[in-house]
Amino acid sequence: MATKTASKPGADTEAETIMVSVAGLTRRFDVSKPWLNRVVERLPKRILTAVSDVSFEIPTHSTYALVGESGSGKSTIGKMMVGLLPPSEGRVTVGGVDLSREASAEALDAVRSRIQMVFQDPFASLNPRWKVRNIITEPVAARGGDTEGLAEALLEKVGLSAEDAEKFPHEFSGGQRQRLCIARALSSNPDFIVCDEPTSALDVSVQAQVLNLMSDLKADLGLTFLFISHDLTVVRHMADRIGVLYLGRLVEEADPQTLFATPRHPYTQMLLAAAPKLDGFGREAALPVGEIPDPINPPKGCAFHPRCPFAIDRCRQERPELRDVAGSRTACHRAEELDVL
């Protein structure tokens, strides 16, 4: 695994192990009409850029959260990080192995067994024809491993009964199904798990149970998480570091305390202003302005400038790069000037 030197206030520098490194990650999709239609109608190709030049790192045993509106590219990044989608540009390195380059077949096979994913819809990701025992043990059985007693042990670890191994997915509630998905993800003894909005299909009380379970498993098993969500209240308590995505671009990155106390990017400020607050009864919050631009034809310069009340001519012409601003990384030309919430 790659290492870097990290400094902490009041302490000597120490080596920090990086589990996952994402560098210049970009993904484009060809959404053009078929070739013959384009010839007859004289239409150009249409290319949708879902992710554009995204870079971040996830230290071992930590949780990195990606947040943003629907269509911002969160799930596309998650799929590229587990190998379900190849990147158009850039690279993903997990445990020192570059998934997007010409690594050896043995190295790729070894690292892929250490990566798992928990999907948004627990029922859609479970085979309705299989018993729970077969669903949970499939990742191990596919590699010829020993599955004796594995399903029962994992079911009890995620708060279910060992007797549930003989049931089918339709016999469980939504929260229980997500626990089954977590048990399946744990069966191959992974180091890194991508959680793609794992609680968005659940009610609030069940969400809390699943999130507490994931926190306990992280502490007990030393797991590393990429947590994808649109719920800021969830990531505030789950993440060690938060990245904010807008139109496939990373616009701000900081630890939760810094991000929620002093958001530097206008888009982050807009998201936080619109989020529910326990003490916000009767408050008047400004509604989010405008909609996400067309990713096939994104605006020049800063992608957020059509919706930004602080945009200047430079924002309309020059794309801002992520840079360090008061404890966070921010892609905003006016980050130092703007008043924070």
Side-chain angles (χ1 to χ4, degrees):
M1 297 182 186
T3 60
K4 73 173 185 179
T5 301
S7 59
K8 296 182 179 180
D12 296 332
T13 58
E14 59 180 16
E16 185 180 66
T17 304
I18 300 301
M19 171 61 70
V20 182
S21 176
V22 174
L25 200 62
T26 299
R27 174 66 195 195
R28 304 184 188 92
F29 295 94
D30 188 345
V31 295
S32 309
K33 288 186 177 182
W35 175 81
L36 184 57
N37 294 71
R38 298 203 312 272
V39 171
V40 172
E41 301 175 31
R42 298 182 180 181
L43 296 174
K45 275 194 170 186
R46 291 169 59 84
I47 304 298
L48 186 153
T49 303
V51 179
S52 178
D53 194 21
V54 171
S55 301
F56 59 86
E57 293 179 335
I58 309 178
T60 304
H61 305 160
S62 70
T63 299
Y64 188 98
L66 284 175
V67 299
E69 295 171 289
S70 297
S72 59
K74 305 185 298 296
S75 295
T76 302
I77 291 175
K79 290 176 181 178
M80 286 191 285
M81 293 181 71
V82 298
L84 292 178
L85 279 176
S88 301
E89 295 177 12
R91 66 179 186 273
V92 177
T93 303
V94 179
V97 178
D98 191 343
L99 301 184
S100 54
R101 303 295 178 187
E102 296 180 358
S104 66
E106 293 79 8
L108 284 174
D109 183 68
V111 75
R112 282 173 177 161
S113 68
R114 300 163 55 195
I115 305 171
Q116 287 293 332
M117 189 166 186
V118 177
F119 295 92
Q120 179 176 355
D121 187 346
F123 191 60
S125 62
L126 298 173
N127 191 330
R129 299 176 181 271
W130 283 16
K131 290 184 177 181
V132 166
R133 180 190 309 280
N134 297 329
I135 291 174
I136 292 177
T137 59
E138 179 190 14
V140 177
R143 295 175 175 273
D146 182 15
T147 62
E148 182 69 27
L150 177 62
E152 290 81 359
L154 289 174
L155 284 170
E156 293 184 349
K157 183 177 288 291
V158 298
L160 298 174
S161 170
E163 299 176 356
D164 293 332
E166 296 301 318
K167 296 180 179 179
F168 290 91
H170 72 268
E171 300 180 68
F172 296 87
S173 67
Q176 290 173 327
R177 290 171 190 160
Q178 199 60 285
R179 290 173 184 264
L180 295 179
C181 293
I182 295 172
R184 178 181 59 186
L186 295 175
S187 64
S188 61
N189 194 26
D191 297 320
F192 175 53
I193 300 179
V194 174
C195 302
D196 187 3
E197 305 216 29
T199 61
S200 63
L202 309 176
D203 61 53
V204 175
S205 61
V206 179
Q207 280 186 22
Q209 296 173 17
V210 173
L211 293 173
N212 288 335
L213 170 63
M214 294 174 64
S215 296
D216 293 341
L217 292 174
K218 174 187 171 183
D220 295 342
L221 304 178
L223 299 173
T224 304
F225 285 111
L226 173 69
F227 194 90
I228 297 170
S229 179
H230 62 272
D231 190 338
L232 290 167
T233 58
V234 169
V235 300
R236 182 173 192 172
H237 300 287
M238 287 291 295
D240 300 296
R241 192 130 181 114
I242 300 173
V244 181
L245 283 172
Y246 183 77
L247 203 67
R249 303 175 183 179
L250 196 63
V251 297
E252 186 163 7
E253 182 190 77
D255 61 84
Q257 182 177 356
T258 301
L259 189 78
F260 281 82
T262 56
R264 293 289 171 180
H265 197 281
Y267 177 61
T268 309
Q269 295 179 10
M270 186 188 77
L271 289 180
L272 293 177
K277 294 181 173 63
L278 290 176
D279 59 351
F281 182 78
R283 71 186 177 100
E284 294 184 4
L287 295 176
V289 178
E291 297 180 357
I292 295 180
D294 182 2
I296 298 176
N297 186 27
K300 187 178 179 181
C302 176
F304 188 63
H305 85 254
R307 306 172 66 184
C308 181
F310 309 109
I312 56 177
D313 288 341
R314 184 185 180 189
C315 302
R316 300 180 182 93
Q317 300 297 325
E318 180 185 340
R319 175 175 172 174
E321 299 297 330
L322 276 173
R323 55 197 175 87
D324 294 332
V325 180
S328 67
R329 290 204 305 154
T330 308
C332 178
H333 294 307
R334 305 189 65 191
E336 293 92 348
E337 305 174 38
L338 303 180
D339 292 331
V340 296
L341 293 178

